[in-house]
Amino acid sequence: MTKVTMSPRAGGFILSEAAGYRSREQIIIGASQVLLAGAVLAAIPNGDPAVTPGTPVGPGNGTIGAWTADAGVPAGEWSIEILGSGATAAYRVLRPDGSVDGVGAVGTAYNGGINGTLADGATDWGTGTRIPFVVAYDEAGETYVMHDPEGTNGSQIAKAILFDAVTTGAGETAKAAAIVRDAEVVQDDLVWDDHTDGEKAAALAQLAATRPDAILGEVGGIIARPAA
């Protein structure tokens, strides 16, 4: 008997989604991709992200200065938390998920996911002062690829699930539908590369924390459920 292997059907991984197709979005698939329905995707941004410092909360009136961010770092609200006091006080830099990016010192250039120099002022930065930074990409130019936990260009951050199979050739892109927010999916029906269980778990956590929609208001992330 000939064995027939079925490819995942379009949208077959979806348990539930929001009304009016608001869970879906049209995305651009990058070149040289062979992707099945249910593939977990990441986005490669167009250019480096913009960094906008916010208003410090806590003591101190030093200079924040101009900051930059490396390509592929997570978008969202980063922050500096001052750990001591004085002209060379130590601080730590936190990513949007609360994890520590690194430790720096006032007056010394910091080189991590974000980069810049926090200067002292007439009143020293004080213990517990928090300085927020918003990191944002130009999403209009981003292209989607298979999630790669070892990537450094944005491909390491799970962001969407492909609705139906797509194949692109060398140098060509294609439009496709993807689940990007406010949905429940069947975990066992998702398509991965050679991910370990730990890498899958980390990617699912990233999907669960997908961004809210500025037009639709606060909406949920993509939640993976075990098969019934």
Side-chain angles (χ1 to χ4, degrees):
M1 178 185 293
T2 302
K3 182 178 180 180
V4 178
T5 301
M6 300 290 290
S7 295
R9 63 184 179 86
F13 58 90
I14 298 173
L15 273 175
S16 68
E17 58 181 320
Y21 297 103
R22 74 178 186 180
S23 297
R24 306 184 192 184
E25 195 169 280
Q26 186 180 82
I27 63 173
I28 303 297
I29 301 298
S32 303
Q33 300 286 308
V34 179
L35 302 171
L36 298 176
V40 177
L41 305 179
I44 298 178
N46 178 24
D48 293 337
V51 181
T52 305
T55 301
V57 178
N61 62 359
T63 302
I64 299 174
W67 286 67
T68 61
D70 295 342
V73 301
E77 185 172 286
W78 292 59
S79 63
I80 286 177
E81 292 187 353
I82 306 297
L83 302 176
S85 61
T88 59
Y91 61 78
R92 64 178 182 174
V93 177
L94 301 179
R95 305 185 186 100
D97 64 1
S99 62
V100 177
D101 183 70
V103 176
V106 174
T108 300
Y110 178 80
N111 184 12
I114 59 175
N115 313 287
T117 302
L118 188 64
D120 193 34
T123 301
D124 293 337
W125 298 110
T127 303
T129 294
R130 178 179 178 275
I131 305 169
F133 294 79
V134 175
V135 175
Y137 289 93
D138 177 9
E139 294 186 353
E142 64 187 7
T143 55
Y144 282 73
V145 298
M146 195 73 182
H147 175 256
D148 177 7
E150 297 178 356
T152 58
N153 60 353
S155 58
Q156 74 275 21
I157 303 168
K159 194 173 180 180
I161 303 173
L162 186 63
F163 184 80
D164 198 2
V166 175
T167 298
T168 56
E172 69 176 18
T173 60
K175 294 179 180 179
I179 298 296
V180 299
R181 64 179 76 84
D182 207 11
E184 293 178 296
V185 300
V186 181
Q187 182 172 331
D188 292 348
D189 290 343
L190 301 181
V191 177
W192 306 90
D193 195 358
D194 57 354
H195 292 59
T196 66
D197 288 344
E199 290 168 343
K200 290 179 183 179
L204 292 177
Q206 292 170 345
L207 290 174
T210 46
R211 68 200 185 286
D213 190 281
I215 297 175
L216 300 172
E218 293 287 335
V219 294
I222 305 171
I223 307 301
R225 308 288 190 196

